[in-house]
Amino acid sequence: MASGRDTYNQVGRGNWEPFLWLSAQERPRVTTLEQRVALLEAEQDVRDLLTRYAYAWDSRDIAGCVGLFAEDAVLITTRGTYEGRDAIRDNYEGMANGRGRGQGEGSVHRPVNVLVRVEGDLQQAWLTAYWHVAAQVRSLFGNYFMRLVNTAEGWRIADCRIAWDFYAKHELPTEPYPVIDNAK
């Protein structure tokens, strides 16, 4: 499997190219049980990082969210390109504080169809996934494409592209949702 930011930049364009490239990458062929367990653990750690990212952002834990990125990470969104943790922090703080249209709202991220490939040396991984965000007055759908690196801190996002495929506004309910308490 090719590695690094250059490969990320080459295959990370469009909605389908990252998925098609990543789905064509085979898992490393490892021979020992220890190697297989290490590979499976690394894949799960990468999946967990994506879930931690979604929960951190949705709870507006900016430090927790930004801490999942490598120091020299690059984040590409529809709002712009952010290089390094400080720029990434500024982006998320601005969104959390509502410095842009539709921002500052609560949200719930639902990453699905997660595809992970960890390279054989367990130092780099690739991830693509769909996401759905339900926010207060809108719903969004899109995809993630990430390159992750295994650091002394654990797995961290080195490159991340967050693309939107669909955006829909909706009205807030006028009455509170009923609480269903069927736990007995």
Side-chain angles (χ1 to χ4, degrees), residues 112-149:
V112 297
N113 294 8
V114 180
L115 180 62
V116 173
R117 291 292 183 265
V118 175
E119 294 189 358
D121 62 0
L122 307 180
Q123 296 304 302
Q124 182 168 257
W126 303 85
L127 177 148
T128 186
Y130 292 141
W131 55 263
H132 168 236
V133 173
Q136 291 174 355
V137 296
R138 63 198 173 124
S139 291
L140 303 122
F141 299 90
N143 58 63
Y144 296 112
F145 180 51
M146 297 181 184
R147 181 177 71 91
L148 302 101
V149 292

Side-chain angles (χ1 to χ4, degrees), residues 5-165:
R5 188 160 282 152
D6 289 340
T7 298
Y8 176 85
N9 289 331
Q10 289 171 4
V11 300
R13 308 219 181 270
N15 290 335
W16 299 109
E17 288 82 356
F19 163 76
L20 293 171
W21 175 79
L22 190 57
S23 64
Q25 306 304 310
E26 292 188 19
R27 281 192 172 92
R29 299 291 177 214
V30 293
T31 55
T32 69
L33 180 60
E34 292 80 12
Q35 290 171 325
R36 292 183 359 213
V37 169
L39 182 62
L40 290 171
E41 286 179 344
E43 287 178 3
Q44 188 60 49
D45 289 345
V46 169
R47 288 175 188 277
D48 287 353
L49 185 140
L50 177 62
T51 301
R52 289 175 27 228
Y53 167 82
Y55 277 114
W57 173 237
D58 288 340
S59 67
R60 298 307 188 254
D61 175 3
I62 303 300
C65 185
V66 173
L68 298 173
F69 287 85
E71 282 294 333
D72 63 344
V74 175
L75 171 64
I76 301 169
T77 74
T78 56
R79 291 174 309 285
T81 299
Y82 308 91
E83 297 185 35
R85 273 190 185 162
D86 290 339
I88 292 169
R89 179 179 297 102
D90 290 345
N91 167 64
Y92 284 112
E93 286 176 349
M95 287 175 44
N97 294 324
R99 292 195 299 232
R101 190 172 139 246
Q103 298 170 356
E105 304 169 354
S107 61
V108 178
H109 282 74
R110 297 177 180 111
V112 297
N113 294 8
V114 180
L115 180 62
V116 173
R117 291 292 183 265
V118 175
E119 294 189 358
D121 62 0
L122 307 180
Q123 296 304 302
Q124 182 168 257
W126 303 85
L127 177 148
T128 186
Y130 292 141
W131 55 263
H132 168 236
V133 173
Q136 291 174 355
V137 296
R138 63 198 173 124
S139 291
L140 303 122
F141 299 90
N143 58 63
Y144 296 112
F145 180 51
M146 297 181 184
R147 181 177 71 91
L148 302 101
V149 292
N150 197 355
T151 71
E153 301 173 291
W155 286 98
R156 294 294 179 263
I157 302 166
D159 294 291
C160 178
R161 185 192 61 125
I162 303 173
W164 291 7
D165 298 328

